[in-house]
Amino acid sequence: MGTDRSRTINMDVKYNPKNTSVSVSPSGEIVEGSSVTLTCSSDANPPVDKYTWYKKNVTSPKASGQSYSITNISSEDRGEYYCEAQNKYGRLNSSSVFVDVQYGPKNTSVSVSPSGEIVEGSSVTLTCSSDANPPVDKYIWYFQNETFLNGCGQIYNISNFKSKDSGHYHCEAWNGRGSRNSTALMIIIPGKQTVLTAAVGIIVVVLVLILCLSGFMWFRKKASNSPSDTRDTADDGQGDTSPVYDNISGMAFTPTAAQTADTDNQDDVHYSSVHFSHSKNQEVPLYSTVQLPQPQIQDEDVQYAAVKFNLPGAATQPVAAQTAEKDPSEIYSRINKPRTKKS
């Protein structure tokens, strides 16, 4: 009898990746600022040895590895992602998964139509735009920072635009994630603005003229004072254009015995004489005498100073001055400097 023996044969079939897919965690709403993890799965034999991540419409890879994490996700990360699984027998891309990042309004702005010159009595339309996810569900309009009671839509229309409507406009966009104000837009009637600009220009010109006139009057007053000062100075000289020479010399003399005796019995006396030349050709001597008590000394130093002035002529000088001195233009001043008594 023969025996029937069965044999089990294990066939290991090799194949490239199949059923490649992507899962997102967390699976609910993704809010800007949170973290998101993408995971790639694929059936392959041998198992996948390389995963690569891509964002749709972006050519360069975003990352590698079976999982791809995005921390502090932002609105720029919003889009479609897919992965590529690869082993030694081939590769396969997954289907795309959309990562929806929710965020409050951004880039809120106001546009005006017509965009050219605004004519009084015409119709003006303002439109508020904002980037938001989910989309903006409420708009609020402001004029001069005051809320419009009837301005709650994306578009605000002003029929029969008047000068009272000129001013700053801005809007505020809201969604479930927050709100954002636009920058202010200035809308004016050019004719009114031209008048205002002209008035401001006239005021500026008047102020400049006032400043210039004030400066001119100040300089004129200063110039008128300068000649009077010059005349006063000229009156002192009475037209005396002759040069004046100063000759100062210091000489030390040894006191005589008589002088020493006199100085022992009296206080030191200092004399100074100053002569000024006037138009009447006469000298007016000015004398000053200063007596200082000093201790008795045996000798003293005597210094002389001579000052020469160029005078019109000797005929007009006093006779006493001509007789006493050979040179009428020399004046001597005697100064006694006391010394302590020698021991």
Side-chain angles (χ1 to χ4, degrees):
M1 288 180 63
T3 59
D4 186 11
R5 298 179 179 178
S6 60
R7 294 181 179 180
T8 301
I9 300 175
N10 293 325
M11 299 182 64
D12 189 12
V13 179
K14 309 295 184 180
Y15 53 91
N16 61 293
K18 299 179 180 181
N19 304 321
T20 305
S21 62
V22 176
S23 60
V24 181
S25 177
S27 57
E29 293 181 349
I30 301 173
V31 181
E32 188 173 33
S34 60
S35 297
V36 175
T37 299
L38 306 178
T39 303
C40 186
S41 301
S42 183
D43 177 21
N45 188 24
V48 175
D49 54 15
K50 183 179 180 182
Y51 294 93
T52 306
W53 290 94
Y54 295 91
K55 186 178 182 180
K56 195 172 183 179
N57 299 325
V58 178
T59 56
S60 58
K62 298 292 292 182
S64 60
Q66 188 173 4
S67 297
Y68 172 46
S69 296
I70 305 174
T71 58
N72 193 20
I73 196 168
S74 66
S75 57
E76 288 76 14
D77 297 319
R78 186 170 181 260
E80 297 183 38
Y81 292 82
Y82 63 92
C83 68
E84 179 188 68
Q86 179 180 355
N87 67 0
K88 63 187 297 185
Y89 294 103
R91 65 185 67 187
L92 181 65
N93 291 341
S94 70
S95 56
S96 298
V97 60
F98 185 74
V99 177
D100 188 22
V101 181
Q102 296 188 359
Y103 50 91
K106 297 180 179 181
N107 305 321
T108 305
S109 62
V110 175
S111 60
V112 59
S113 179
S115 59
E117 182 176 304
I118 305 297
V119 180
E120 189 170 10
S122 63
S123 179
V124 177
T125 300
L126 304 177
T127 303
C128 186
S129 303
S130 184
D131 176 24
N133 185 36
V136 176
D137 54 15
K138 184 174 69 172
Y139 295 90
I140 300 177
W141 287 92
Y142 296 87
F143 173 66
Q144 306 288 63
N145 294 326
E146 294 183 2
T147 307
F148 286 151
L149 297 178
N150 59 343
C152 295
Q154 185 177 7
I155 297 175
Y156 180 71
N157 185 69
I158 306 173
S159 59
N160 192 18
F161 194 91
K162 298 183 179 298
S163 59
K164 65 180 180 62
D165 298 318
S166 297
H168 292 87
Y169 291 81
H170 78 273
C171 68
E172 184 179 19
W174 288 78
N175 72 352
R177 297 298 176 185
S179 65
R180 181 63 59 89
N181 288 335
S182 70
T183 55
L185 177 66
M186 183 69 176
I187 302 177
I188 59 173
I189 299 176
K192 301 295 183 181
Q193 180 66 14
T194 303
V195 174
L196 179 60
T197 304
V200 173
I202 293 174
I203 293 173
V204 171
V205 171
V206 171
L207 291 176
V208 171
L209 289 176
I210 292 174
L211 291 176
C212 293
L213 182 60
S214 300
F216 174 76
M217 295 300 293
W218 182 82
F219 281 112
R220 184 175 180 181
K221 183 178 180 181
K222 184 177 180 181
S224 63
N225 291 335
S226 297
S228 63
D229 295 340
T230 306
R231 288 195 298 270
D232 293 341
T233 306
D235 292 341
D236 294 339
Q238 290 292 330
D240 185 5
T241 59
S242 60
V244 179
Y245 298 90
D246 293 337
N247 184 12
I248 300 174
S249 61
M251 301 176 62
F253 296 92
T254 303
T256 61
Q259 292 175 342
T260 305
D262 292 339
T263 56
D264 291 339
N265 298 324
Q266 63 181 2
D267 296 331
D268 293 331
V269 180
H270 295 256
Y271 297 96
S272 64
S273 177
V274 180
H275 294 269
F276 299 92
S277 176
H278 295 275
S279 61
K280 296 181 179 180
N281 297 324
Q282 62 181 0
E283 294 179 349
V284 180
L286 300 179
Y287 295 92
S288 63
T289 302
V290 180
Q291 295 183 355
L292 300 175
Q294 299 291 339
Q296 294 183 354
I297 56 175
Q298 293 181 355
D299 56 356
E300 59 182 4
D301 292 337
V302 180
Q303 294 183 355
Y304 292 87
V307 181
K308 294 182 179 180
F309 296 90
N310 188 12
L311 300 179
T316 59
Q317 296 181 4
V319 177
Q322 296 180 8
T323 304
E325 300 290 339
K326 293 181 180 180
D327 188 356
S329 62
E330 286 193 2
I331 299 172
Y332 293 89
S333 173
R334 176 180 176 182
I335 301 174
N336 295 330
K337 298 178 62 177
R339 284 187 175 180
T340 59
K341 190 172 183 180
K342 295 182 180 181
S343 58

